[in-house]
Amino acid sequence: MSAKRCKIHYRKLRRDNSQFPAETLSAKIRQALNTKKGNARIAESVKHRIADVPKADGYQRFLNDFHETDEYVFGDICLFSPGQMQALLQLSADPTHPTLDEVMKAWAIAESKAPAGHEYLHGIAYWLAIGDHFYQIQHVTLQAKSMEDT
């Protein structure tokens, strides 16, 4: 199994100025997910869980998968840009006895749209809210500060 380093960010909701309601952060997230928007709860419709990214035209992030209990809520946030192209590297086999021209040849690079009904993801961040504690496994394109802005 391979290993990869990651940053886990931690935040705690401070209540020392009586600015926040008595319910915990995780309870308020559950309440938001269970709020009705139109005919469905926000939790029941992906389109209700998509938001534009401030100061990043064309980018959107959405709460994709999540799980809630009476004690905690966790899930993932995805970042994408509808219709954006993705760079592709076309791999080719190296000949067994290459000529100088074959050695100097580069692999082809092209751009392609995602297949119909799909979008390319730019990043996924995983998070957990338990009580007033919030943990996020950060992705390079979904920094901890962006979660605070959500």
Side-chain angles (χ1 to χ4, degrees):
M1 175 182 273
S2 65
K4 186 174 181 180
R5 298 184 87 188
C6 67
K7 286 185 180 179
I8 299 176
H9 287 269
Y10 169 75
R11 299 281 192 271
K12 181 177 183 202
L13 179 61
R14 293 180 53 188
R15 297 177 176 278
D16 50 356
N17 59 6
S18 301
Q19 184 178 2
F20 295 100
E23 296 94 351
T24 64
L25 175 62
S26 59
K28 293 305 273 183
I29 291 171
R30 270 194 315 280
Q31 181 183 350
L33 288 169
N34 288 297
T35 300
K36 277 212 160 196
K37 189 170 185 179
N39 293 332
R41 293 180 310 123
I42 290 174
E44 296 172 338
S45 173
V46 175
K47 70 179 179 179
H48 292 319
R49 300 191 314 261
I50 296 175
D52 292 332
V53 177
K55 301 176 190 167
D57 288 341
Y59 283 86
Q60 295 180 315
R61 61 181 164 228
F62 68 102
L63 176 60
N64 184 41
D65 192 22
F66 62 92
H67 179 75
E68 54 183 300
T69 72
D70 289 340
E71 296 178 31
Y72 58 85
V73 182
F74 72 89
D76 60 61
I77 295 277
C78 298
L79 176 70
F80 72 105
S81 180
Q84 188 166 24
M85 305 283 273
Q86 178 76 11
L88 302 171
L89 182 63
Q90 182 180 1
L91 304 177
S92 60
D94 286 333
T96 33
H97 300 291
T99 65
L100 182 56
D101 285 341
E102 290 168 329
V103 169
M104 300 304 291
K105 187 185 287 187
W107 285 342
I109 296 177
E111 284 191 325
S112 176
K113 286 191 171 205
H118 295 78
E119 295 292 348
Y120 290 115
L121 286 179
H122 297 287
I124 301 174
Y126 301 92
W127 57 273
L128 165 71
I130 184 165
D132 283 339
H133 305 274
F134 188 85
Y135 302 88
Q136 176 189 351
I137 299 176
Q138 180 173 291
H139 184 275
V140 69
T141 60
L142 285 163
Q143 302 288 319
K145 178 67 176 147
S146 69
M147 290 294 282
E148 293 172 12
D149 295 337
T150 301

